[in-house]
Amino acid sequence: MSAPKKVVLAYSGGLDTSIILKWLQTEYGCEVVTFTADLGQGEELEPARTKAELLGIKPENIYIEDVREEFVRDFVFPMFRANAVYEGLYLLGTSIARPLISKRLIEIAAETGADAVAHGATGKGNDQVRFELSAYALNPDIKVIAPWREWDLTSRTKLLAFAEENQIPIAKDKRGEAPFSVDANLLHTSSEGKVLEDPAEEAPDYVYQRTVHPEDAPNEAEYIEIGFEKGDPVSINGEAMSPATILTALNEYGRKHGIGRLDLVEGRFVGMKSRGIYETPGGTILLEAHRGIESITMDRGAMHLKDQLMPQYAELIYNGFWFSPEREMLQAAIDKSQEFVTGTTRIRLYKGLASTVGRWSDHSLYSEQHVTFEDDAGAYDQKDAAGFIKLNALRLRLLAQRERHSHN
Amino acid sequence: MSAPKKVVLAYSGGLDTSIILKWLQTEYGCEVVTFTADLGQGEELEPARTKAELLGIKPENIYIEDVREEFVRDFVFPMFRANAVYEGLYLLGTSIARPLISKRLIEIAAETGADAVAHGATGKGNDQVRFELSAYALNPDIKVIAPWREWDLTSRTKLLAFAEENQIPIAKDKRGEAPFSVDANLLHTSSEGKVLEDPAEEAPDYVYQRTVHPEDAPNEAEYIEIGFEKGDPVSINGEAMSPATILTALNEYGRKHGIGRLDLVEGRFVGMKSRGIYETPGGTILLEAHRGIESITMDRGAMHLKDQLMPQYAELIYNGFWFSPEREMLQAAIDKSQEFVTGTTRIRLYKGLASTVGRWSDHSLYSEQHVTFEDDAGAYDQKDAAGFIKLNALRLRLLAQRERHSHN
Amino acid sequence: MSAPKKVVLAYSGGLDTSIILKWLQTEYGCEVVTFTADLGQGEELEPARTKAELLGIKPENIYIEDVREEFVRDFVFPMFRANAVYEGLYLLGTSIARPLISKRLIEIAAETGADAVAHGATGKGNDQVRFELSAYALNPDIKVIAPWREWDLTSRTKLLAFAEENQIPIAKDKRGEAPFSVDANLLHTSSEGKVLEDPAEEAPDYVYQRTVHPEDAPNEAEYIEIGFEKGDPVSINGEAMSPATILTALNEYGRKHGIGRLDLVEGRFVGMKSRGIYETPGGTILLEAHRGIESITMDRGAMHLKDQLMPQYAELIYNGFWFSPEREMLQAAIDKSQEFVTGTTRIRLYKGLASTVGRWSDHSLYSEQHVTFEDDAGAYDQKDAAGFIKLNALRLRLLAQRERHSHN
Amino acid sequence: MSAPKKVVLAYSGGLDTSIILKWLQTEYGCEVVTFTADLGQGEELEPARTKAELLGIKPENIYIEDVREEFVRDFVFPMFRANAVYEGLYLLGTSIARPLISKRLIEIAAETGADAVAHGATGKGNDQVRFELSAYALNPDIKVIAPWREWDLTSRTKLLAFAEENQIPIAKDKRGEAPFSVDANLLHTSSEGKVLEDPAEEAPDYVYQRTVHPEDAPNEAEYIEIGFEKGDPVSINGEAMSPATILTALNEYGRKHGIGRLDLVEGRFVGMKSRGIYETPGGTILLEAHRGIESITMDRGAMHLKDQLMPQYAELIYNGFWFSPEREMLQAAIDKSQEFVTGTTRIRLYKGLASTVGRWSDHSLYSEQHVTFEDDAGAYDQKDAAGFIKLNALRLRLLAQRERHSHN
C-alpha cells in the first residue's frame, strides 16, 4: 500500500482518536479530515470541533453530523424486522452502528478527495472487521488505516507520552486507565475488558450506565402501547414519533425499569471468546413488542422461515457483512414478510422485564371463530384433522413397517 | 377401519376421559385398558384407579405409573440441549410430553394385546396430531380413536347428560364450565381458551397457577449455581440431583420468583392461531443457564450451526414429529455438540428474571490471554487481522468494482 | 359444504375430464364452465371446444386459452432463477404448472360468478394438493370438487359404463387401459404408474416421448450460446426470443440430443414414494446454462446462501405452496440475487449431456488479474493469506488446546 | 514465530517440493522429514525416496505410505454420504484429500519430535487454508511453513536457478512451464491456470487426463450394479470390494465411458473466482448411484433435511474445516440418516452419462401397494387427502381473507 495522502478519520474527540489524528499527521504527513457522528452516544459533539481545530484540522475538513435518524431508520429498524439476536441473546448494538460510520467515511472521502480512511478500533476486536469490510464494499480502492495494528504505541505509558510530546490535551480522568472499555450509541451501551475479563465473576454494579438496577426500578408496573407499521415501530401510546425519537423514548422507559441488561460471553469473528456487558433498554422492549405484533399478523410459514434465517442474518451483521449481497438477499426476504406487520402491542414494564400482554391489528390472522372452544359455526371441520394426521403419518408408518421387518 | 377390540386409553381420571372410557365401552363394545401417568402434573393418581374400577375396568387393565424421571431424562433434557423455543418464545412444555404418553400407550397395547389406543385431545388442537403421529410411528398398524372427532357429544350439556346416564360421578366444580382449559406436567402449565380467547386482553391474574406474580416475588435477589454435564443439568448449588428432582427444584425457584410466564399467540400445526398462557418456571431458568454454560464451552462454529438448526427442531417437536428420522438426525448433531458442555452457571433470580451472572468450566474455551486488553504475551498477533480482513473483503471489493463499472 | 351451483372445471377435452364434466352435471345439477389451457402439452385445443359443446356447455362458458408465455415468464423462469431441483434431481415440471391453472380457474370463477372449481387429479397424488392449495390461497371461500375422491367410479369398467350411459364419445385407443399415465407441458413430460411401478425394472423405451434415445442422438456435438438477463434466458445464438419461444427452442435442442431424461423415485407430499420418468429437455439445458452464467456473475456469499435455501424452495413448489408467503419471501431473496446475472453461456450438447464449456459477461466477477499464476501486478498480496488462515484457525486451536487438556 | 528446528514436509518428489525441501534446509538450517503419500495420484513413490536421500534426508526421516484405503474409507465415503457438491457441481476431489495429508503430517511430527510442518501450496489458493486449518486443529502449537508465501523465488527463472545452484535434478520436461497446473488423487484430477484462465474459452482436449472424450467412448451402453451398506458402496456386480478397490474400479468404468468431466468457475475461500477442469469419473457414478439407493431407502423428511444441510457441509469441506465441530455435527446427522441406506442401484453408463435405471433393497420404503393406480386393498384412503389439504390450506385461506379485507 502506498502512503495515504488524505485520510478521513472517524474522530470522537477523545484522547485515543486525538492521538491517532496526530499520529496520522506525523507518520504519513498526510492531510486529515475528521468525521464525528452523533449516533446517540450521549456526548456533546462541539468539543470535538474545538479539539480538531486545535490539532490543526482545517474547518472545511471537520465534519460533525447528527446521524441518529438515519441510524435508526436505515440500520436499526431493518435489523429489528428480523428479530436478530446473535448467539441467542445479543441485540447487536455495536455491530449495527459500524456500517453507517463507514458509509459516511467513504462518502466524505469522495467529497474531499481523500484516498484513505482511518478508525480507532483495535486489532483484537470485531469492529476493525466491520469498519473495513464496509469501507471496502463501498469503495474497493480505498486505503484503510488501522493505527492500533500498525503503531508501536503499545502501552498506556507510551500513548500518554506521545500525547504529551504532541501537545494533545489529556483530561484528568484519562490519566489513569479506565476500568473497562465502553461503546455507546442510541441502541445500546457495551462494556468490556479489564474488570470484566473473568467471566465467572459477576459484573460490578458500576459497570451499568444506561439502566437502573432492577431492584431500584419502580415497584409498580407500567404499561405502554407500541404501534407498528410494516414491521417498524411508529408510535407510543398513540403518539406518532420519528425513528430516533421513538427509540429514545423506549430507551427512557427501559432505563427507568431496569430493562435490557445482558452479561454475555460471545464468539468473536476474529476467533476468541470475549465477555461483554450490554445494555439495550429500548431495543429489548422493541424486540418483545415486535414479536408480539408479528404473532397475530404474520403467517406461520413465513415466521418459521424467518426464524430459521435469522441466525445467519445476525451472524452476517455481527461479522461486518452488512454491505454484502447475502445480507441484502436476506433483507429482501425479511422485508417481504413485514408487509402486514401493522398493529399495536401492549407491553408491561416491570423490574427488568418487558412482557407482551396484548396485541391487536386490522390485519390480524387470529381467528377466534376458528380457534374457539365454543361453537364455531362450521368454520372448522374437526373431521378434517383425521385425514391430515393420517397422511402426515403415512411415511412414519412406512418407516415403522420397515423397522419391524428389519428386526425379523 | 374395523372396530377396535381392545383399547388403551390415556386416562387422567377426570370427567372428560371418564366419559371417553364409557363411550368406548358403549360405542365399540370393546375392552378398555387405562393408562394414567404421573408426568408431574401435580395430581394424585390413585383416585384414577378407583374411578377406573368403578367404570368396570379390570385391575390388570389399570396402568398407573410415575414416568417423571423418564420424561425429564429422555425428552425434556434432550430438547433443552437444543435451546429449543417455538416461534421465538414457547418452551414446548405440552408438546414434549405427548410422545412419551404415546410411547407408553403403544407399549401397553403390545403387552395387553390391544389393537387400538385412544386419547382425549380435541380435533382443533395440536395434541391429537402429536399423540397420533407418535403412535403410528411406533406401531404402524395401531388403530387410533379420537372420540372428540367422532362422537356427537358436542356440547357441555350433552356431555353431562351422557355422564349422568352412565353413572359417571361428576365433581361439583365440574358442573359449570371451566373458564379456561389447562394442561400441566413437570415442565410447564398451559392455559387457553374461553377467557383467554381475545389476544388483545391481558390474561387475568387467576389464570396463573404455577408462579407467583412478579410483584409478589421476594424483594431480594437469590443466586443459584447450576452444574451441567454434557449439556444436561446435574446439580444445584453443588448438590447432585436426578433429572426429575432437579427440574422440580428449579420449578420451585422459578415459582417463588415469578419466573417463566409467557403470554403467546402461536401458529398451530392444524392451521389457525391460538393464544396460550404458559408457565415454565424451571425450564426458563434452565434455558438461561444452559445458554450460559454453552457460551464458554461451545465453539462458535458449532453454536451458530446449532442456533440455525433450532427453529426446525422446535417445529418438529411442536408438530408432533418427535419420533421421526429428521428429528433424530438433528438430535444426533445437537448431542454431538454437547460433548464438552460441562461446568457451572451462576444465575440471579429476581422478580421474573433469571439472569446469568457468571459461568466457569474445566472445559472453557474462553482464553483471557487471547482477549485481554493487557499484554497477551504474543498469544495473538494483531497484524494477522489485516490479512484476515483483506481476504474477507476481496469478494466485496470485486463486487464494488463491478458496481462502479455497471454505472459507467 | 353446501352443493355447488356453478363450477369451473379444468378441462382437457379427454375422456376422463369429459366424464367429470358429465358427473358434475348429474351429481350436483350445476352449471359447468370449462377451462382448457395450452401449456405447451402439444395437443390441439379446439377439439375440446367441440366436445364441451357436445356435452352441453354454453359457448360463453367455454374458456380456451394459450397461457404458454405466462407459464414460462411468471412460473418457469422465476423457479429456474433458484436452480430448483427436488430431491436432488427433479426439475418440478408438473409441480410448477398447477398454480397457474388454479389461478385461471379462480379468475374465471370470479368472472362467471362460479362458486366452485373442479379438477381431475386423483386422491393419491400431489396434484390435488397443488391445485387446491393454490385455489384456497387465491379465494378462501371457493368450493373445490375433486371427483376422483368423491365418486364411486372406482374402476375402468365403471368409468366406461358411465361414459356410455351418458353418450360421452370414447376414442378407440381409450377403450383399453393406458400402460402408464402421462402429464405434459412446455417444460416437461412425466410418465408414471402401471408398467413403471417396479422401481427395480428399467423403464421400457416406449415410455420416452419427448426425447430421442441418447444412442440415437447425433454422433457429433452441437454448441449453442444462451444469453441471460437478470437470471432469465433471453436469446439463443444471439437471437432474442420470448420466454415460451426460447423454452420451445431449447426443448428441440434437448429432444434431438437425448437430453433431460430422468428415472426417479421420489417422496410425495401425501406420504408414499412413487416412481416417475421425467423428460425435461429444454429445462435441463437451461439449468446447466444458468449455473454457468451465475458462476461468473454471482458472488460466492450470495450463491452459497441461495444453494442453501433452494431445497426448501423446491419443496414448497413440489408440495403446492407456490402461493404462500414463505415462497414469496424466498423468491424475493432469489430475485435479489439475480440483478447482475446477465451474460452468455456456451453449451455443448452431445448424446444426453449438456455441458458448459464457456461463459462471459460484462458483469463478470472473475478477475484473471487476481487468480493468475502469472505476475498479478500486486492485485493480491499472498502474505494476507497468512493472517487470514491464522484467525480462521484461532478457534480451532483453542478447541485443540481444550482437547489436549481434557485428555491429561 | 521462532525458527523451526525440525520440519515435516508434504513431499511429492517433484521439482517444486524438492526446491522447498532444499530451501527449508538452507533458510532455516533445520532438519527435514519428508512425507510422501500414495493417495492414488497414479505416480510411483519410490523415486521420491531416492530423491529425498539425494537431498540429504536421513532414511529414518523418509515416510512413504499408501493411504488410499484410509483416504476412501474415512474421508471420501463419509463425504459422499452427504451427496456433497460445492456450488452445485464440484465433487470436492482436491478438498477432501488435504485433511488426511495434514493429519499424517501432524502425526509424523509427533513421532519424530518435529515442531513444524510445511506444504507446497501457493498463497492464492484454497489448499494452503485446508492444510493449515487441519494442522492447527490437530496440534494448536505446530508451526506451519508455507514457502510460497515467504520466499523470493517468485518466478520460474528464479526457481530453476535455485535448483541448479543446489544440485536439484531438473527433469527435461520441467524446464519449460507446464501449460496448466494439476492435482490428482484417487477421487479426481483437477487442472487449472495458464491456458485455462479465460473462462470464455473451451478447455483444450489435452487438458483431460483421466477420462476419454465422450465421443471416443464406446458406442454401446454398459450396465453395472453397485451394492451399498449404510450409505457406502461395498460391491460392484455382486463382487465385494474394499473402499479403495471399489473407487478404483468405478474410476475405470468412468474413464472408459467419458464420465465425470466438469468445467467450472468457482468461488475460492480466499475471495476470488477461479476456473478449474475436474475429472471425477468414479465419484460421478457413485453420487448417482448413492442418490439412487437413497431414493428408496431414505425417508422424505430425512432426505429433505439432508439436502438442506448439504451446501453448508460442502462449503465446510471446501473451505478446509473438515476438523471442525460443526462439520462433525453435520456428519453425525448425515451418518444417522444412512442407517438403512443398504441395497443396490443399477446404473447405465454411456458417453459421459451415468444414469440410474433401477434400484432395490430389503429396506425399501417404496410401497407399490400404496402408490399403485390399481386397487390398493385399502392401504390408502383417498378421502384422507381431503382433510390433509383442508388443514394445510387453512392458514392460506386466513391469509387470503386478510388480503381481501385489506383491499376493501
Side-chain angles (χ1 to χ4, degrees), chain C residues 17-318:
Chain C
T17 50
S18 294
I19 291 172
I20 288 174
L21 196 169
K22 195 53 152 187
W23 180 85
L24 289 169
Q25 292 170 326
T26 54
E27 178 77 11
Y28 293 113
C30 63
E31 191 176 352
V32 175
V33 178
T34 60
F35 170 58
T36 308
D38 185 352
L39 279 149
Q41 64 270 48
E43 281 172 14
E44 294 287 314
L45 266 59
E46 282 309 311
R49 183 186 308 278
T50 318
K51 212 134 165 224
E53 284 171 351
L54 188 77
L55 290 161
I57 308 303
K58 290 184 250 172
E60 67 267 28
N61 279 346
I62 300 176
Y63 284 75
I64 294 186
E65 298 177 7
D66 181 347
V67 296
R68 287 177 295 173
E69 289 294 346
E70 181 181 2
F71 174 51
V72 181
R73 184 188 63 231
D74 295 346
F75 294 82
V76 174
F77 281 2
M79 180 175 79
F80 272 79
R81 283 174 215 146
N83 301 323
V85 287
Y86 181 72
E87 298 194 347
L89 295 162
Y90 170 40
L91 292 179
L92 295 162
T94 297
S95 324
I96 192 62
R98 301 317 187 199
L100 169 55
I101 297 173
S102 285
K103 174 170 169 280
R104 288 299 298 137
L105 289 176
I106 294 298
E107 288 167 351
I108 294 168
E111 288 168 31
T112 59
D115 59 337
V117 297
H119 64 77
T122 76
K124 280 191 169 181
N126 296 303
D127 284 332
Q128 56 176 340
V129 189
R130 296 166 188 152
F131 276 126
E132 300 180 28
L133 292 184
S134 291
Y136 289 129
L138 296 172
N139 181 347
D141 300 325
I142 198 74
K143 287 168 190 149
V144 179
I145 304 170
W148 286 97
R149 294 200 308 256
E150 296 185 26
W151 65 24
D152 54 3
L153 305 178
T154 52
S155 70
R156 197 77 201 155
T157 316
K158 289 187 192 168
L159 277 172
L160 293 176
F162 180 92
E164 282 174 0
E165 279 164 37
N166 290 280
Q167 281 84 42
I168 300 171
I170 306 173
K172 268 196 192 130
D173 64 337
K174 298 289 175 182
R175 283 269 155 205
E177 287 201 55
F180 53 90
S181 164
V182 173
D183 176 70
N185 60 47
L186 200 57
L187 181 56
H188 96 333
T189 293
S190 76
S191 305
E192 57 179 16
K194 310 284 176 63
V195 303
L196 298 170
E197 283 184 5
D198 180 354
E201 286 300 312
E202 185 166 5
D205 267 358
Y206 64 79
V207 169
Y208 296 93
Q209 306 166 45
R210 189 81 170 256
T211 50
V212 306
H213 194 294
E215 298 193 18
D216 299 329
N219 288 320
E220 269 170 52
E222 183 172 7
Y223 290 81
I224 57 172
E225 294 177 6
I226 304 179
F228 286 88
E229 273 180 32
K230 296 185 187 298
D232 295 338
V234 295
S235 68
I236 299 179
N237 295 333
E239 187 185 345
M241 299 182 193
S242 74
T245 313
I246 208 166
L247 185 52
T248 305
L250 291 174
N251 279 335
E252 177 50 27
Y253 283 111
R255 185 203 60 72
K256 176 179 164 193
H257 291 284
I259 289 166
R261 294 177 162 207
L262 173 66
D263 175 341
L264 183 72
V265 175
E266 78 205 39
R268 284 192 186 156
F269 188 27
V270 292
M272 78 286 277
K273 286 180 179 283
S274 70
R275 193 258 197 108
I277 299 297
Y278 299 112
E279 294 168 89
T280 321
T284 301
I285 300 171
L286 179 52
L287 175 64
E288 174 74 13
H290 186 251
R291 277 270 183 208
I293 191 62
E294 282 190 335
S295 75
I296 54 166
T297 57
M298 184 177 296
D299 168 67
R300 186 189 79 203
M303 187 185 292
H304 294 196
L305 174 60
K306 192 159 149 282
D307 284 350
Q308 183 191 325
L309 300 178
M310 185 277 284
Q312 280 176 279
Y313 176 86
E315 186 186 72
L316 286 170
I317 293 177
Y318 185 87

Side-chain angles (χ1 to χ4, degrees), chain B residues 275-288:
Chain B
R275 193 256 198 109
I277 299 297
Y278 298 112
E279 294 168 89
T280 320
T284 301
I285 299 171
L286 179 52
L287 175 65
E288 174 74 12

Side-chain angles (χ1 to χ4, degrees), chain A residues 218-291:
Chain A
N219 288 320
E220 269 170 53
E222 182 171 8
Y223 290 81
I224 57 172
E225 294 177 6
I226 304 179
F228 287 87
E229 272 181 32
K230 296 184 188 297
D232 295 338
V234 294
S235 68
I236 299 179
N237 295 332
E239 188 185 345
M241 299 184 192
S242 75
T245 313
I246 207 166
L247 184 53
T248 304
L250 289 174
N251 278 336
E252 177 50 27
Y253 283 111
R255 185 203 62 70
K256 176 178 163 194
H257 290 285
I259 289 167
R261 295 177 162 207
L262 174 66
D263 175 341
L264 183 72
V265 176
E266 80 206 36
R268 283 190 187 159
F269 188 29
V270 291
M272 78 286 277
K273 286 180 179 283
S274 70
R275 193 258 196 110
I277 299 296
Y278 298 112
E279 293 167 89
T280 320
T284 301
I285 299 172
L286 179 52
L287 175 64
E288 173 74 12
H290 185 251
R291 277 270 183 208

Side-chain angles (χ1 to χ4, degrees), chain A residues 141 304 315 326 395 404, chain B residues 141 304 315 326 395 404:
Chain A
D141 301 324
H304 293 196
E315 185 186 72
E326 62 270 33
R395 65 182 179 93
R404 180 185 293 173
Chain B
D141 301 324
H304 294 196
E315 186 186 71
E326 62 270 33
R395 65 182 179 95
R404 179 184 292 174

Side-chain angles (χ1 to χ4, degrees), chain C residues 313-333:
Chain C
Y313 176 86
E315 186 186 72
L316 286 170
I317 293 177
Y318 185 87
N319 287 355
F321 289 94
W322 178 265
F323 295 113
S324 71
E326 62 271 32
R327 203 277 310 169
E328 288 169 7
M329 284 172 65
L330 290 172
Q331 195 71 54

Side-chain angles (χ1 to χ4, degrees), chain A residues 86-89 122-124 128-129 132-133 136-137 139-141 148-150 181 192-194 197-202 213-215 219-221 223 263-265 267-275 291 294-296 298 300 303-304 307-308 311-312 315 321 323-326 348 350-353 356-360 365-366 368-374 376 380 382-383 385-386 388-390 392-393 395-397 399-401 404, chain B residues 86-89 122-124 128-129 132-133 136-137 139-141 148-150 181 192-194 197-202 213-215 219-221 223 263-265 267-275 291 294-296 298 300 303-304 307-308 311-312 315 321 323-326 348 350-353 356-360 365-366 368-374 376 380 382-383 385-386 388-390 392-393 395-397 399-401 404:
Chain A
Y86 181 72
E87 297 194 346
L89 294 162
T122 76
K124 280 192 169 181
Q128 56 177 341
V129 190
E132 300 180 28
L133 291 185
Y136 288 128
N139 181 347
D141 301 324
W148 287 97
R149 295 201 306 257
E150 296 185 25
S181 164
E192 56 179 17
K194 311 281 176 60
E197 284 185 3
D198 181 354
E201 286 299 313
E202 186 167 4
H213 194 294
E215 297 193 18
N219 288 320
E220 269 170 53
Y223 290 81
D263 175 341
L264 183 72
V265 176
R268 283 190 187 159
F269 188 29
V270 291
M272 78 286 277
K273 286 180 179 283
S274 70
R275 193 258 196 110
R291 277 270 183 208
E294 281 190 336
S295 75
I296 54 166
M298 184 177 297
R300 185 189 80 202
M303 188 185 291
H304 293 196
D307 285 350
Q308 182 191 326
Q312 280 176 280
E315 185 186 72
F321 289 94
F323 294 113
S324 71
E326 62 270 33
R348 186 176 181 279
Y350 177 70
K351 290 204 180 270
L353 265 187
T356 297
V357 297
R359 62 303 262 169
W360 55 92
L365 293 167
Y366 180 88
E368 196 166 327
Q369 192 191 14
H370 280 87
V371 78
T372 187
F373 279 53
E374 317 285 335
D376 67 6
Y380 179 96
Q382 302 209 15
K383 293 199 173 31
F388 179 73
I389 295 170
K390 274 316 242 327
N392 271 301
R395 65 182 179 93
L396 303 179
R397 290 172 61 211
L399 282 161
Q401 277 167 8
R404 180 185 293 173
Chain B
Y86 181 72
E87 298 194 346
L89 295 161
T122 74
K124 281 192 168 179
Q128 57 176 341
V129 189
E132 300 180 27
L133 291 184
Y136 288 128
N139 181 346
D141 301 324
W148 287 97
R149 294 201 306 258
E150 296 185 24
S181 164
E192 55 180 15
K194 310 284 176 61
E197 284 184 5
D198 180 355
E201 286 300 313
E202 186 166 5
H213 194 295
E215 298 193 18
N219 288 320
E220 269 171 52
Y223 290 81
D263 175 342
L264 183 71
V265 175
R268 284 191 187 157
F269 188 27
V270 290
M272 78 286 278
K273 287 180 179 283
S274 70
R275 193 256 198 109
R291 277 269 184 207
E294 282 190 336
S295 74
I296 55 167
M298 183 177 297
R300 185 189 79 202
M303 188 185 291
H304 294 196
D307 285 349
Q308 183 191 325
Q312 280 176 278
E315 186 186 71
F321 289 94
F323 294 113
S324 71
E326 62 270 33
R348 187 177 181 278
Y350 177 69
K351 289 203 180 272
L353 266 186
T356 297
V357 298
R359 64 300 265 169
W360 55 93
L365 293 167
Y366 180 89
E368 194 165 329
Q369 193 191 14
H370 279 86
V371 78
T372 187
F373 279 53
E374 317 285 334
D376 68 6
Y380 179 97
Q382 303 210 14
K383 292 196 174 34
F388 179 73
I389 295 170
K390 274 315 242 328
N392 271 300
R395 65 182 179 95
L396 303 179
R397 290 173 62 212
L399 282 162
Q401 277 167 7
R404 179 184 292 174

Side-chain angles (χ1 to χ4, degrees), chain A residues 17 25 55 74 92 97 109 145 178 218 238-239 259-260 281 318 343 352 376 401:
Chain A
T17 50
Q25 290 169 328
L55 289 161
D74 295 346
L92 295 163
I145 304 169
E239 188 185 345
I259 289 167
Y318 184 87
D376 67 6
Q401 277 167 8

Side-chain angles (χ1 to χ4, degrees), chain A residues 22-216:
Chain A
K22 195 55 156 186
W23 181 85
L24 289 170
Q25 290 169 328
T26 54
E27 179 77 10
Y28 292 113
C30 63
E31 191 176 351
V32 175
V33 178
T34 60
F35 170 57
T36 308
D38 185 351
L39 279 149
Q41 64 270 49
E43 280 171 16
E44 294 286 315
L45 266 60
E46 283 309 313
R49 182 186 307 278
T50 317
K51 212 134 166 225
E53 285 171 351
L54 187 76
L55 289 161
I57 308 302
K58 290 184 249 173
E60 67 267 30
N61 279 347
I62 299 175
Y63 284 75
I64 293 185
E65 299 177 6
D66 180 349
V67 296
R68 288 177 295 174
E69 288 293 347
E70 182 181 2
F71 175 50
V72 180
R73 184 188 64 232
D74 295 346
F75 294 82
V76 174
F77 281 1
M79 181 175 78
F80 272 78
R81 285 175 213 146
N83 301 324
V85 287
Y86 181 72
E87 297 194 346
L89 294 162
Y90 170 40
L91 292 179
L92 295 163
T94 296
S95 324
I96 193 61
R98 300 318 186 198
L100 169 55
I101 297 173
S102 286
K103 176 170 168 278
R104 287 301 297 139
L105 290 176
I106 293 298
E107 288 167 350
I108 293 169
E111 289 168 30
T112 60
D115 58 337
V117 296
H119 64 78
T122 76
K124 280 192 169 181
N126 296 304
D127 285 332
Q128 56 177 341
V129 190
R130 296 166 186 152
F131 275 128
E132 300 180 28
L133 291 185
S134 291
Y136 288 128
L138 297 172
N139 181 347
D141 301 324
I142 200 72
K143 289 169 188 147
V144 179
I145 304 169
W148 287 97
R149 295 201 306 257
E150 296 185 25
W151 67 25
D152 55 1
L153 306 177
T154 52
S155 70
R156 196 79 202 154
T157 315
K158 289 187 192 167
L159 277 173
L160 293 176
F162 180 92
E164 280 174 359
E165 279 164 36
N166 290 279
Q167 284 84 45
I168 300 170
I170 305 172
K172 269 199 189 127
D173 64 339
K174 298 289 175 183
R175 282 270 154 206
E177 287 203 53
F180 53 91
S181 164
V182 173
D183 175 69
N185 60 46
L186 200 57
L187 181 55
H188 96 335
T189 293
S190 76
S191 305
E192 56 179 17
K194 311 281 176 60
V195 301
L196 298 170
E197 284 185 3
D198 181 354
E201 286 299 313
E202 186 167 4
D205 267 357
Y206 64 79
V207 170
Y208 295 94
Q209 307 164 44
R210 191 80 170 256
T211 49
V212 306
H213 194 294
E215 297 193 18
D216 300 329

